[in-house]
Amino acid sequence: MDGKWLSKLPIKKIVSCQRVGGGDVNQAYRLTTSSKDYFLLVQPQQPQSFYQGEIAGLRDFQQAGILAPRVLASGRIQGDAYLLLDFLATQRTGNQFQLGELVAKLHQTLSPNGKFGYDYPYVGTSISFDNSWTASWIELFVQRRLDKLAWQLEHDRLWGNPEEQLYNVARKIIMTTLEQHQSQPVLLHGDLWAGNFVFLTDGRPALIDPAALYGDREFDLGVSTVFGGFTNEFYTGYQQVLPLNSGYHQRLDFYQLYYLMVHLNKFGSSYAASVQRLLQKICSYN
């Protein structure tokens, strides 16, 4: 990141700019000034609107009393979208029971209009999803997300006829199961893997990098189980605040499938076997 680019940011006296981990989507930097530190996300050659969903999510988190980075500024410099946030000083470990309580608190925030969706679409670098408001969780999750992923995977030749047939069987089971389950639209993180929570130096848990939407709370919990990083204490803390309904173990598999299909779409065939195993597992519920 060169000095000319940095000079256009709405902050003064930048002393250093250090590249840090920002996930697989953004370029991320720690900016140090004479008075404080900032966290900068950059998406090269994208419009300013690239970050509108994340900004809305962080502001909704703040309104819900969820500890998360505060949005300071956003814009576009030399064709690159940027998002400037508070820098959170963190430590490696913390109290996962409290983290579970924090996510449960997030899930107590009800949809403002009683519907599923969000004011902004999910915008990714490999695939995007329509979050237009709907009364149906099945429409939002199955028809707009799973079906779109399935089409894209077939189009990109990342799976063939056997996987397509497995998906069609699994889809019927998912549809039938969700029809029998009463979903309530609550505020979701939308990308709740272990890289998207931190513990501050005072021990408090915080959530970062939201892909927010209003949906069934089991969506977040299913995603949390895919790559690990959440301990038993996390789920205990969550359930003490918001106990899960019967049958949730099977339904969490639906959201694991979604997340693995996203990764197959984005990163390729290294995720193919995991997707196929999960499809077979869901088909066995018939």
Side-chain angles (χ1 to χ4, degrees), residues 116-238:
F116 301 92
Y118 207 54
D119 284 334
Y120 302 100
Y122 168 81
V123 179
T125 53
S126 63
I127 196 165
S128 299
F129 299 113
D130 176 15
N131 282 334
S132 299
W133 297 102
T134 173
S136 169
W137 174 239
I138 289 175
E139 177 188 344
L140 187 64
F141 173 64
V142 179
Q143 298 173 1
R144 298 193 202 162
R145 295 210 174 193
L146 285 183
D147 286 352
K148 183 172 183 178
L149 282 163
W151 181 89
Q152 193 66 51
L153 292 172
E154 182 184 3
H155 178 268
D156 294 342
R157 299 182 179 178
L158 286 167
W159 68 12
N161 190 58
E163 291 81 9
E164 184 181 356
Q165 290 182 356
L166 268 178
Y167 174 73
N168 288 335
V169 174
R171 184 185 189 275
K172 292 179 182 177
I173 295 169
I174 293 169
M175 293 279 286
T176 300
T177 304
L178 291 181
E179 285 169 356
Q180 297 168 354
H181 172 64
Q182 188 171 2
S183 295
Q184 182 181 38
V186 299
L187 184 58
L188 304 181
H189 181 282
D191 189 16
L192 193 63
W193 72 290
N196 283 342
F197 70 80
V198 295
F199 294 103
L200 304 191
T201 52
D202 62 8
R204 290 179 297 162
L207 300 178
I208 62 174
D209 293 343
L213 72 156
Y214 288 89
D216 190 304
R217 63 195 178 103
E218 292 176 352
F219 179 98
D220 271 351
L221 297 179
V223 168
S224 76
T225 63
V226 174
F227 296 125
F230 295 84
T231 67
N232 289 336
E233 286 75 18
F234 167 80
Y235 299 103
T236 300
Y238 183 93

